[in-house]
């Protein structure tokens, strides 16, 4: 029995010695393995503070700021035509005149009649002061004057209709008729467009409606001009949502003094929803684990440690850092798959 107890004690002591040896041996092996571990080649970048721009893209159509078709108000011959295709005109410039001999004669006739009636009215007024004429004659003459004056206003309006003038400053389009042609009422003579300011109409998903305001900056590009950007602002937002597409129509205005943009153009619109300064890193540096985001932060001795970060907005290629890093911190952008905390790195590329 004593021998059995002694043997059991020696067995326990032997196992205990093996366990103590394991505790001393394994950490040493880990340290040796870490010292002998290969240095991982990675690409790094520093945390930057720069503008974080949130935007939405859409396709739009160019629209003239003001645009009309100049049409003949009545049927008659064209006696004067001042259409210089593509040329600028000022408000009030005469574009065309229709045959107006009869209307001018009618105005001249009524002006003469009105002058004579006014002289008779003044004569009756003078006689009325001496009680030499009846008040009824004076009233009758006043009625004649008023009637002729109304007829003259109508005749002058009819004469004015035969002169087609520019209602606003702009650029004339293609000529549709010639001098001497007989035109019917409603015939288009030419077009007039105000091109110094171009409007762009585009649609935005209703999801962004709460973020859009009048005055927001936007820019457009067009295939004819490559990467050249034309800057503008939001000028109007439709009060209705399209029930089929669930989009809202937005209008922007763009200064177009050089006339490079034209109505009808297909425009690529970039609407800037937000622009603020933020700490940012490349989205390639993120290492997602479950519901959290991590990065590998580089220490002064060129080793890395895994750090949890809280992210904010995303833009193509970049992500905002809310917490977890500081301005100027260096993080691994490429090569994160080979890393774990404590591993030394070698910077390559950039």
């Amino acid at each position: 029995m004593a021998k059995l107890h002694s043997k059991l004690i020696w067995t326990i002591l032997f196992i205990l010695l093996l366990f103590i040896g394991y505790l001393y041996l394994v950490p040493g092996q880990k340290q040796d393995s870490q010292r002998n571990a290969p240095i991982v080649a990675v690409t790094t970048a520093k945390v930057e503070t720069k503008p974080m721009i949130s935007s939405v893209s859409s396709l739009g159509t160019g629209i003239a700021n003001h645009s009309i078709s100049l049409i003949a108000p009545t049927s008659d011959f064209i006696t004067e035509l001042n259409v210089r295709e593509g040329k600028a005109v000022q408000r009030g410039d005469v574009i065309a005149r229709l045959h107006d001999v009869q209307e001018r004669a009618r105005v001249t006739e009524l002006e003469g009649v009105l002058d004579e009636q006014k002289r008779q009215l003044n004569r009756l007024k003078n006689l009325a002061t001496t009680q030499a004429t009846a008040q009824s004659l004076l009233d009758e003459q006043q009625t004649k004057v008023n009637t002729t004056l109304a007829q003259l206003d109508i005749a002058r309006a009819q004469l004015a209709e035969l002169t087609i003038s520019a209602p606003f400053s702009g650029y004339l389009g293609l000529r549709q008729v010639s001098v001497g042609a007989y035109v019917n009422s409603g015939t288009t003579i030419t077009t007039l467009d105000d091109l110094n300011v171009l409007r762009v109409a585009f649609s935005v998903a209703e999801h962004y409606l709460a973020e859009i305001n009048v005055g927001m900056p936007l820019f457009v590009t067009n295939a004819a001009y490559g990467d050249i950007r034309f800057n503008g602002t939001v000028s109007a937002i439709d009060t209705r949502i399209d029930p089929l597409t669930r989009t809202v129509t937005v209008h922007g205005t763009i200064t177009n003094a050089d006339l490079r943009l034209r109505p009808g153009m297909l425009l690529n619109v970039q609407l800037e929803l937000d622009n603020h300064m933020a700490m940012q890193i490349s989205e390639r540096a993120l290492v997602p684990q479950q519901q959290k985001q991590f990065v590998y932060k580089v220490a002064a001795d060129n080793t890395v440690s895994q750090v949890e970060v809280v992210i904010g907005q995303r833009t193509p290629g970049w992500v905002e850092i809310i917490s977890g890093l500081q301005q100027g911190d260096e993080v691994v952008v490429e090569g994160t798959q080979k890393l774990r905390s404590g591993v030394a790195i070698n910077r390559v590329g950039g």
Side-chain angles (χ1 to χ4, degrees):
M1 189 70 178
K3 289 182 178 180
L4 181 61
H5 286 172
S6 176
K7 191 173 183 180
L8 181 60
I9 290 172
W10 281 107
T11 302
I12 294 173
L13 289 175
F14 180 72
I15 294 173
L16 184 61
L17 288 173
L18 288 176
F19 180 71
I20 293 172
Y22 174 79
L23 293 180
Y24 280 99
L25 180 61
V26 171
Q29 289 178 343
K30 288 184 178 180
Q31 291 176 0
D32 291 340
S33 64
Q34 288 180 354
R35 283 194 296 268
N36 297 327
I39 297 176
V40 179
V42 298
T43 300
T44 66
K46 291 188 176 181
V47 179
E48 302 178 53
T49 298
K50 59 182 183 178
M52 170 67 73
I53 302 175
S54 174
S55 62
V56 60
S57 300
S58 181
L59 290 177
T61 301
I63 305 172
N65 189 37
H66 299 291
S67 180
I68 63 168
S69 294
L70 297 173
I71 63 174
T74 186
S75 300
D76 217 319
F77 291 96
I78 294 179
T79 59
E80 181 181 344
L81 188 62
N82 302 313
V83 176
R84 297 169 296 161
E85 297 170 322
K87 301 300 182 181
V89 295
Q90 300 301 313
R91 178 181 180 181
D93 287 354
V94 175
I95 306 301
R97 279 195 175 94
L98 301 183
H99 184 70
D100 59 1
V101 174
Q102 292 182 353
E103 286 74 11
R104 289 182 181 276
R106 178 61 175 164
V107 169
T108 302
E109 176 188 4
L110 289 174
E111 287 176 342
V113 171
L114 181 62
D115 288 341
E116 177 59 27
Q117 289 178 346
K118 284 183 177 180
R119 283 194 296 269
Q120 293 182 14
L121 179 62
N122 291 332
R123 186 164 55 250
L124 289 172
K125 286 180 179 180
N126 293 331
L127 293 175
T129 60
T130 62
Q131 304 294 325
T133 185
Q135 182 66 35
S136 59
L137 293 177
L138 181 61
D139 294 340
E140 182 181 349
Q141 187 62 34
Q142 182 65 61
T143 301
K144 290 181 179 180
V145 171
N146 293 340
T147 301
T148 304
L149 186 59
Q151 293 174 346
L152 179 60
D153 289 340
I154 294 173
R156 285 172 173 170
Q158 292 174 341
L159 176 61
E161 285 184 355
L162 299 178
T163 299
I164 302 171
S165 303
F168 55 83
S169 299
Y171 295 84
L172 294 175
L174 299 178
R175 176 171 55 84
Q176 304 296 325
V177 295
S178 300
V179 175
Y182 183 86
V183 294
N184 295 315
S185 176
T187 299
T188 299
I189 296 174
T190 186
T191 58
L192 178 64
D193 297 309
D194 176 9
L195 303 179
N196 290 316
V197 175
L198 188 83
R199 288 189 297 160
V200 55
F202 59 99
S203 297
V204 177
E206 64 177 338
H207 169 73
Y208 297 103
L209 181 60
E211 303 178 58
I212 304 174
N213 294 298
V214 173
M216 272 187 165
L218 59 81
F219 68 85
V220 303
T221 58
N222 177 264
Y225 302 109
D227 295 330
I228 297 177
R229 305 195 334 176
F230 301 88
N231 297 318
T233 57
V234 173
S235 59
I237 304 170
D238 198 354
T239 56
R240 298 183 179 183
I241 302 291
D242 189 319
L244 298 179
T245 62
R246 303 300 178 188
T247 58
V248 60
T249 300
V250 180
H251 280 193
T253 54
I254 303 166
T255 301
N256 190 40
D258 53 10
L259 305 183
R260 285 189 289 181
L261 299 178
R262 297 299 177 92
M265 270 187 167
L266 178 65
L267 301 173
N268 300 302
V269 184
Q270 196 79 13
L271 175 61
E272 187 176 296
L273 300 177
D274 185 32
N275 188 341
H276 67 278
M277 300 299 291
M279 285 195 306
Q280 301 177 52
I281 61 171
S282 170
E283 61 181 0
R284 294 176 298 168
L286 294 178
V287 181
Q289 294 183 10
Q290 297 179 349
Q291 302 299 321
K292 298 180 179 181
Q293 297 285 350
F294 295 85
V295 298
Y296 282 104
K297 179 180 175 181
V298 182
D301 60 355
N302 290 334
T303 61
V304 297
S305 59
Q306 194 176 62
V307 177
E308 182 181 356
V309 294
V310 177
I311 64 174
Q313 297 183 15
R314 289 177 180 260
T315 57
W318 296 89
V319 61
E320 179 183 9
I321 297 299
I322 303 298
S323 64
L325 294 173
Q326 299 294 327
Q327 168 74 17
D329 285 347
E330 187 178 10
V331 296
V332 176
V333 175
E334 293 182 357
T336 56
Q337 300 87 348
K338 308 173 186 177
L339 297 178
R340 64 180 184 275
S341 292
V343 169
I345 56 101
N346 179 37
R347 299 171 185 82
V348 296

